[in-house]
């Protein structure tokens, strides 16, 4: 039983809800992109660029990138705590993999706003 609710640590319910919410957002974005690819008769650079010139699409992409990072962080934490027993190795792997997830979002932002 949790006695101190003022801590900044997560709990299982928050992780569960976060995973499900981010998965729904990622799935909705993927369905939209697949639908766009399927319904666009001739996919050219101009069509693709026009899609991502829209501010709503840029916002949806940023939100999805952040959701991918949150989803990855929680999943990595769960997998690493279950399968890597050495705390030093778990910390190093967690740091490197979380840094890679952050770099993924940073590169996505540069690509998205660099157009």
């Amino acid at each position: 039983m949790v006695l101190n609710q003022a801590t900044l640590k997560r709990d299982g319910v928050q992780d569960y809800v976060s995973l499900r919410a981010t998965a729904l957002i990622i799935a909705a974005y993927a369905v939209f992109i697949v639908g766009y690819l399927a319904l666009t008769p001739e996919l050219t650079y101009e069509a693709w660029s026009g899609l991502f010139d829209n501010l709503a699409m840029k916002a949806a992409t940023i939100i999805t990138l952040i959701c991918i990072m949150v989803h990855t962080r929680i999943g990595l934490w769960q997998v690493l705590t279950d399968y890597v027993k050495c705390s030093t190795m778990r910390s190093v792997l967690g740091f490197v993999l979380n840094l890679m997830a952050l770099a993924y979002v940073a590169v996505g932002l540069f690509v998205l706003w660099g157009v």
Side-chain angles (χ1 to χ4, degrees), residues 45-108:
Y45 173 78
E46 288 79 21
W48 192 252
S49 180
L51 174 67
F52 283 95
D53 280 342
N54 187 353
L55 187 61
M57 188 63 191
K58 286 184 180 186
T61 303
I62 290 171
I63 290 169
T64 304
L65 283 172
I66 292 170
C67 286
I68 290 171
M69 185 181 74
V70 169
H71 197 89
T72 301
R73 287 179 51 89
I74 295 170
L76 284 173
W77 176 78
Q78 290 176 345
V79 169
L80 290 176
T81 54
D82 285 346
Y83 295 108
V84 180
K85 298 303 177 191
C86 176
S87 63
T88 305
M89 179 68 89
R90 185 172 53 239
S91 297
V92 170
L93 281 172
F95 176 75
V96 169
L97 294 171
N98 283 315
L99 189 63
M100 288 173 60
L102 183 63
Y104 176 74
V105 172
V107 168

